[in-house]
Structure formats: C-alpha cells, structure tokens
Amino acid sequence: MLDVGRAVGQEARALHNGFVHQGNRGEPHDNGVGITMYAPNMNLVRDPRWGRAQEVYSEDPALSSYLTYMFVHGAQVGNESSPHYMQAAACCKHYAAYDLESVPTTRYHFSAKVDSRNMWETYMPVFLGCVKYAQGAHVMCSYNAINGVPTCGDEKLLDGILRDQWKWPGFVVSDYDAWAQIYNTHAYCPNMTCAAATGLNAGMDQEGGGTGAINQLQAAIAAGMTTEDAVATAFKRLFRVRLQLGMHDPPAMVEWNHITNDSIIEGGAHIALARDAARKAMTLYKNAHNALPLSTDIKKLALIGPSAVQTSLLLGNYAVPPDHGIPSIMDGIRSALGEDPSNFTGKCGPLEQNVDYFVQGEGGLSSPNPQDCCRQCGLDPSCQYFTWYAGTCYKKTSDAGRQTSEGRVSAKCLSHDTGGQKVKYAGGCKDVGCDDDSGFDDAVQVAAGAEAIVVVLGLDQGQESEGHDRSVIELPGHQTDLVARLRTAYAATPIVVVLVHGGTLALGSVVDDASAIVDAWYPGMEGGMAVGDVLFGKVNPGGRAPVTSYLKTSDLPEMGETNLYPSASSPGITYRYFNGSVQYPFGHGLSYTTFKYSDLKLSAQSVKACDTVTLTVSVANTGVMDGDEVVQVYVKQHNASVPVPNIRLADFARVTIAKGQSAQVQLQIVPRAHCVVPSSDDIYTDGSTVEAGAVTVFVGGGQPKYNDGAVLSASFAVTSSQTVASCPEPTTFY
C-alpha cells in the first residue's frame, strides 16, 4: 500500500507539472490539474450493499486506518528524500459516519444515529491513521448529518475533534456542494447565508463543487453571523498546504518538479506495480481437491461469463482507462497459457457514426471505446451488430431498430473469434445482470470436452456505484443458475469461479457447485493479467478477506441502521458484532501451500493500562510452494464492564515464506486495541478506556472461530484502568 500511495502521488505531481508546463495553472473546468487529491476514501464497509464499498478498504477500523496511513504517507512523503515539500496532498474522506447512497434515503438527507460507543469504537478510529498520524493535508466532510447536525456544519466534529483533540493542522473541504446542503437538503439553516456562516464557523475552509455557500460569506459577515477573521483563518489553512507543496517557491527548489508525464504515467514500473497489487489482493476462498492451480498443459479450457471479456469493468468506479489499454481476464488466461492475447481474429465492419441499433431496455457491458466493443462482440457468436456509447457496449443479434442517434457508434460483426487454441469462450449471460438463461445452452456446448471451466461472476457499475446502493447481496439474475447448469452437465469437471465486484456477494449454491472460488474484487488496470497469474500458479494467492461475506440478505439489519451492535431489530453487523453464521469470514483466505504456527510468546503476562504488549510467533511453510501468509492477531475481553466487540483485530503482518522455511514474526497490541467505550451523552469526546482485566490473544491465519486447532492463544492481565487519551502516544498507532 505504501508503494501504491507513492505511485499515485507521483502521477498526481506529474499531471500537475504537465499542466503547469503547458501554461495551464488550474482552470476550473480542468478538475484535477492540482495536486490536492480526493483520496483515500476511508469509510467503512458497514453494510455490503453500500454502492461505494468498492472504493474503500475494509469493515474494520484498525485495518482501514493502517492501510490509509500507508497510502497517505506514500502519496505525501513519496520517497522521503525531499523533507521540505509534500509530493501531493491527500484527502481523508468522508468525515464521518458516511456509508450509504440511496437506501433508505439519499445521502443528502440521511442523518446517522450514532451513540458514543459506536462513535469511538468504529466511526472515529478509522480516521486516526489518515488524519492524526499520517497528517493528511485535508479532510472532506460528508453529505450526511450525524444526530441531526450536518457534518459540514458541526463545529464539535470539525474544530472540536480534528483540531482541538487531534491537533490536526490541515484544511477541511466539503464534498461537492455538501456545504450548501446544510440549507438545501438538511434544512438545518433557514437560508444559504446562515449555511455559509455555519460551515465557516464550524471549521470549513473550502467549498467543493459549486460556490453556493461561499458566495454568501460577504452577506453573512455583514449580518454579523461570522467574521472576516474566520475567513482569514480558512485562507491561511489553504495556503499552508500550497506552501508545503512548494507552489510558491522557485521551481528548482522543489524536487518533485522534475517529474514529467512521460517519465511516470503508465510507465513500466507503475504498470508492473498495478499487476503486483492486483496479484496480492486475489483471495482464494475455496480449493476443493486442489483444483487450482490449473496446469498450463491444459488442452481446452472453457471460459464463461460476459465479465471475462470486459475491460473497463475491472477498474471499478472513478477510473479512466489507461492509454495502453486494459487486458481482460480472457487476455490474462491466454497469456498464462502462452498465447498472444492481442491476436484477435474477429472482424467488424466500418464504424458508423451517429447510428444506433436500438432495443428498448437492453443492458450493456462496460467498454472504453468502439474497438473494445468490437472485440466483445467478436467473441460472442450470438452478436451480429454492436452499438457503443459513453463507455458502454450494446451487443445486438440483428440490425432491427436501426436509427440515427447522436454520439452513438455502431458496426456489423463480420467474423467471430474462437477464443484461441486452448481457450473457448461463451457469455452464458447477455450481460452482468443475467436476466435470462437463453445463453446457457451455448455455454454448455462450449464447455464440452473442457478439462476445466472458468466462470466469471459478480457485479458492475449498474448494480453498485456512487449514488446507488444494492437492495440485495445475492448474485444478480441467473448467475447462480448458470453455474448450476454447468455443474449438472459436467459433474466431474473442475469449475473455477472468479468473482469481480466491490460489495460482498451471497453466492448460494455456487459455494457447493464450484470446485474453487477466487475473489478478484475490481482488480484494476492489470487485474486481468493477475487473474491469469493466480489461476495457473505463477503467483500463489495470499489475499485475505477484509470484509465479511454473509449468507443472505435477510441476515443483515436495515440498511440505515448505524448501530453495529445486535439489538431487538438487528443481528449486528461486521465480524466484530455479528452473531450469525457467515459464508466466508473476515480474514479468510487460502493458499496453494500450508502454514503451521508455533512458539507464541508475549512480552509480559501482566501490564499496566498504557503498556504495549509485544508478541512473537514462529510460522512455518509446510507445503510445496513459496507463499505469503497473513499473520493475524485478535483480542477478546471476557469480563468488560460495558458491551464490547465479540473479537477484534489488533495487529497483522504479511510475510513471504519459502517452502520448507520458517519466519519469526513480531507483532504488538497497543492500548487502543483492547479499550472499552463507556456510554456517554457526549459523542464528541473520546472516552475510550483501557480497563483492568484479562485479555485473550489469538494468533493465526484467521479468526479463531473459523480456524479451530490452527490458531494459537495466550493471555495477559491489565492491572490498572486509564483513558487512552491520557496515555503517552505509542510508537505506532497500530
């Protein structure tokens, strides 16, 4: 994550330098010419139906806090050889308790009901790494309100926590038009003048999006609702970051100014990093009878599912396709088998501008350009024509509905590609929504005689996106039925399911019908190649689930329930509080090798409240392949005086261990990892307290509940009680 942050910061600086060298210093319509990034998105996946789950890191505040710390440190500090200037300015967003788009109401109207325990056990700790420890340059307040107060107008939330409690010096920007929403949607103020003053007085410094609020600041000052000094304070905070970026010093003084577009963006090092990051994220959920890795000597492989040949789908949202193109999962598989993925033999007729073969209600596939759409059509025997428009490819069985339509591009498919010598493809479903089973027979026919069947399932931006939550977590349409049909037809053939998605999925019968399941998430610009690397054993998967996969939608609380604890109306949510059975737990992930833990030692069996406990454990690779193990440390309190999580992650380490070798791994448990939060009417003051009592420690490759016999345990006693805020700052926050 540190390397990814560095690369993103480098590319942001390179883009900025490129614009500056062209004489463009930031016209308003060129969003992004500056180097204040709107990343990382660090909210929690409280509910898997959230449309922006794809953008964030996990459901656990400690894990997300650590990962965002590394990203921000990398983006801002870069290679650490320029101590006087930031490489780029990261943004800690969205502050706070923001985790829904459209259900049960829009984010612009939603008010999260948050008590002190949820506030300081979940919603605030996730921001510690980015804000307090990595010193992210700016914080973005969110669209929602908390307990009736819009976050962008909440002085106790902005000035109170960020600046007074955490001593953070950066500036606060509103999510686009969220400052104005203090009046427009939340009706917290009677007019925009009041909203302008309320935001500024709360600690706002910059209006993101429009200028509806700041345009009223002069009127607010004249009305005595705010002051010129408050405006000056905001101005100083903004300019402080500009100075840190070196924007007002001679260019030669700022090391980052030598970075140029052509030397960094889409360079070989960053393309390789994208592939490596995707490989490391691949998570193996199931591998019955060692179905994976597949042999490169395979004579025929059936590849099923429209997502297998899509490209921009792999990026998720908020991503622009790279100039060099995006390899699909089919490309990655063909490459792993030694075939040239660029050898596409299908042909399309001349592109017809402003022509549409219109079919009412027809769904499409993500596609960056008409040439890619031609490729997708050429791989589907049922596709005779296609229409491309605004990043979407619509495949057609005939030219019926031909009409003139501005901006559309259409063509006829003159010949189809068979998919290569070894790989044979069928869509099975027309699109990701898979509304009917009309393509199942073709999929079954293509799979005849295959030594293995790879089926790509999941979601796309039509199911989940900013502004749109899912209502269910089950696989869309007939995706589950497609796998069942293939299993019925070929009972003895290994079926490997690859998942492409953001929010987690209830897989139903796929769990039993599939021989192996690999979660690729939205793997990014080199994700297609990474899938091929993992399926054929070029890389041993080492990803671990950062979220819980639930069995069915009815296991979840109502979407707007922001209390994570179980209650009369809720079974709880996330691994820390949910008491039901799950499909795959947080922290789960298999490997092509095996690991064994031994010799767990704690630095002390008795500690004071503010002490950090260090532990060591030996991890041996007892299998036949080099691999990565993610050593996970969980803690549990048995006799806390107030409600606490069932269990919680305290630390982790990803280690690469060669086959037959062992590694000594050192981890630690900081006081905050086992604190409790007493109930209080004041949600803005951190009452987190380390309480005297016994703490059980579990160390292994996953949660103890799901890894019986493979997880070691020990315990230590805390002999005193003390608030976390009164403890000395630990050398590491996590």
Side-chain angles (χ1 to χ4, degrees):
M1 187 56 66
L2 181 66
D3 290 339
V4 169
R6 284 173 176 157
V8 172
Q10 280 185 341
E11 295 201 359
R13 176 65 76 156
L15 282 171
H16 170 79
N17 291 345
F19 280 116
V20 170
H21 294 161
Q22 295 167 16
N24 178 348
R25 293 186 177 273
E27 283 78 358
H29 63 273
D30 288 318
N31 184 25
V33 300
I35 37 181
T36 49
M37 307 181 302
Y38 284 165
N41 186 342
M42 52 189 305
N43 298 107
L44 295 169
V45 185
R46 174 182 55 80
D47 191 302
R49 293 168 289 190
W50 182 33
R52 300 183 78 173
Q54 61 190 292
E55 296 180 39
V56 301
Y57 295 81
S58 82
E59 68 182 40
D60 181 83
L63 175 59
S64 290
S65 185
Y66 175 79
L67 293 175
T68 54
Y69 169 84
M70 299 305 291
F71 177 90
V72 171
H73 187 73
Q76 294 191 162
V77 178
N79 59 17
E80 305 190 38
S81 64
S82 182
H84 300 297
Y85 300 102
M86 285 195 297
Q87 176 176 241
C91 178
C92 310
K93 69 175 192 178
H94 307 82
Y95 185 74
Y98 166 63
D99 49 24
L100 62 78
E101 302 298 300
S102 57
V103 180
T105 185
T106 71
R107 55 189 177 169
Y108 310 111
H109 296 86
F110 182 67
S111 179
K113 296 181 179 178
V114 181
D115 62 19
S116 59
R117 183 163 296 124
N118 282 280
M119 187 76 160
W120 291 100
E121 215 164 71
T122 296
Y123 295 114
M124 285 296 104
V126 70
F127 284 92
L128 282 171
C130 185
V131 177
K132 185 174 181 179
Y133 294 102
Q135 293 283 286
H138 55 311
V139 166
M140 179 183 286
C141 56
S142 52
Y143 285 118
N144 59 287
I146 296 177
N147 299 335
V149 183
T151 65
C152 295
D154 192 336
E155 183 176 6
K156 293 179 180 179
L157 187 69
L158 302 184
D159 276 349
I161 295 176
L162 293 176
R163 294 180 172 120
D164 295 342
Q165 293 186 49
W166 291 351
K167 310 304 179 186
W168 173 74
F171 72 88
V172 177
V173 60
S174 71
D175 205 337
Y176 274 25
D177 299 318
W179 192 340
Q181 306 295 12
I182 294 172
Y183 163 63
N184 285 335
T185 58
H186 291 293
Y188 186 73
C189 274
N191 53 54
M192 192 63 76
T193 304
C194 167
T198 298
L200 188 68
N201 295 339
M204 285 293 310
D205 302 299
Q206 184 182 68
E207 183 171 8
T211 57
I214 61 173
N215 282 346
Q216 295 299 313
L217 283 176
Q218 189 171 1
I221 293 170
M225 302 170 73
T226 190
T227 65
E228 291 182 354
D229 286 346
V231 174
T233 296
F235 185 83
K236 290 175 183 177
R237 290 175 183 146
L238 291 163
F239 254 78
R240 175 182 175 274
V241 173
R242 292 176 67 92
L243 292 170
Q244 288 177 305
L245 291 166
M247 298 177 74
H248 298 280
D249 286 335
M253 289 180 60
V254 184
E255 178 188 348
W256 310 119
N257 287 339
H258 78 277
I259 300 174
T260 59
N261 289 9
D262 54 0
S263 68
I264 292 295
I265 297 176
E266 294 190 36
H270 286 188
I271 292 173
L273 175 62
R275 186 166 178 172
D276 187 50
R279 289 167 165 174
K280 283 184 165 62
M282 299 284 162
T283 308
L284 180 63
Y285 292 148
K286 179 182 180 181
N287 195 21
H289 308 297
N290 294 317
L292 291 177
L294 299 172
S295 171
T296 54
D297 294 330
I298 195 169
K299 293 181 174 61
K300 178 181 178 181
L301 182 146
L303 181 60
I304 311 296
S307 296
V309 296
Q310 293 190 67
T311 54
S312 52
L313 163 77
L314 303 177
L315 301 180
N317 66 350
Y318 280 114
V320 176
D323 293 339
H324 75 279
I326 309 165
S328 67
I329 290 175
M330 172 181 272
D331 293 333
I333 290 174
R334 291 177 68 173
S335 178
L337 288 171
E339 298 182 2
D340 182 359
S342 65
N343 185 23
F344 173 67
T345 60
K347 295 182 180 180
C348 297
L351 297 177
E352 299 180 276
Q353 302 293 328
N354 302 320
V355 171
D356 182 11
Y357 297 113
F358 179 73
V359 177
Q360 182 70 38
E362 182 183 42
L365 304 171
S366 61
S367 176
N369 52 55
Q371 291 73 27
D372 178 83
C373 189
C374 168
R375 182 182 177 88
Q376 295 196 42
C377 182
L379 290 166
D380 184 351
S382 69
C383 181
Q384 302 302 315
Y385 295 82
F386 73 82
T387 294
W388 181 90
Y389 176 66
T392 302
C393 179
Y394 301 91
K395 298 189 295 184
K396 318 285 182 174
T397 57
S398 73
D399 61 355
R402 178 188 170 93
Q403 64 183 36
T404 300
S405 185
E406 186 72 25
R408 271 70 174 174
V409 180
S410 297
K412 180 179 181 179
C413 184
L414 302 177
S415 64
H416 290 85
D417 192 311
T418 60
Q421 295 179 340
K422 294 183 176 182
V423 181
K424 304 302 177 183
Y425 168 77
C429 302
K430 293 179 179 178
D431 54 35
V432 175
C434 199
D435 291 334
D436 63 62
D437 60 2
S438 59
F440 285 14
D441 287 344
D442 183 47
V444 170
Q445 182 178 354
V446 165
E451 295 171 62
I453 303 168
V454 175
V455 188
V456 186
L457 308 175
L459 305 171
D460 64 11
Q461 300 308 300
Q463 277 79 38
E464 56 176 357
S465 63
E466 179 171 1
H468 176 66
D469 298 318
R470 288 183 291 160
S471 58
V472 299
I473 60 173
E474 283 71 25
L475 283 163
H478 293 274
Q479 288 190 24
T480 301
D481 299 331
L482 173 61
V483 179
R485 178 72 178 277
L486 290 165
R487 175 51 73 209
T488 298
Y490 305 108
T493 303
I495 296 178
V496 178
V497 167
V498 177
L499 302 174
V500 178
H501 65 108
T504 54
L505 297 156
L507 301 178
S509 60
V510 171
V511 172
D512 294 324
D513 289 336
S515 309
I517 300 174
V518 175
D519 201 333
W521 313 96
Y522 288 121
M525 60 190 253
E526 289 294 307
M529 302 303 288
V531 169
D533 293 338
V534 167
L535 294 186
F536 289 90
K538 185 175 182 180
V539 170
N540 190 347
R544 301 294 182 265
V547 284
T548 301
S549 292
Y550 301 92
L551 288 168
K552 54 188 182 299
T553 302
S554 59
D555 288 340
L556 303 176
E558 293 296 322
M559 182 66 178
E561 177 56 77
T562 49
N563 173 24
L564 282 72
Y565 277 88
S567 66
S569 60
S570 167
I573 194 86
T574 79
Y575 82 96
R576 294 181 300 150
Y577 307 99
F578 184 70
N579 290 324
S581 299
V582 301
Q583 180 175 265
Y584 295 114
F586 173 92
H588 174 67
L590 305 176
S591 172
Y592 296 155
T593 191
T594 55
F595 298 97
K596 184 177 181 180
Y597 287 74
S598 63
D599 200 23
L600 171 62
K601 296 178 181 178
L602 303 186
S603 59
Q605 275 68 52
S606 178
V607 298
K608 296 179 181 179
C610 295
D611 290 344
T612 293
V613 176
T614 300
L615 62 90
T616 58
V617 66
S618 178
V619 185
N621 183 338
T622 56
V624 296
M625 189 175 184
D626 299 348
D628 284 4
E629 172 68 330
V630 180
V631 182
Q632 302 168 45
V633 180
Y634 294 89
V635 296
K636 183 178 181 64
Q637 291 148 286
H638 299 276
N639 299 299
S641 64
V642 298
V644 293
N646 296 326
I647 199 167
R648 48 185 145 176
L649 184 71
D651 199 2
F652 73 97
R654 182 168 181 150
V655 291
T656 301
I657 308 175
K659 61 181 180 181
Q661 300 297 309
S662 298
Q664 286 293 118
V665 183
Q666 180 173 300
L667 305 105
Q668 58 185 5
I669 303 168
V670 298
R672 186 174 289 277
H674 56 93
C675 67
V676 305
V677 181
S679 179
S680 171
D681 292 335
D682 176 13
I683 70 164
Y684 299 102
T685 300
D686 184 5
S688 301
T689 300
V690 180
E691 197 170 64
V695 177
T696 301
V697 180
F698 302 95
V699 182
Q703 294 184 54
K705 180 178 179 180
Y706 306 100
N707 293 269
D708 187 38
V711 173
L712 305 180
S713 64
S715 63
F716 64 90
V718 181
T719 59
S720 60
S721 297
Q722 193 168 332
T723 63
V724 173
S726 67
C727 289
E729 286 289 343
T731 55
T732 177
F733 73 97
Y734 171 63

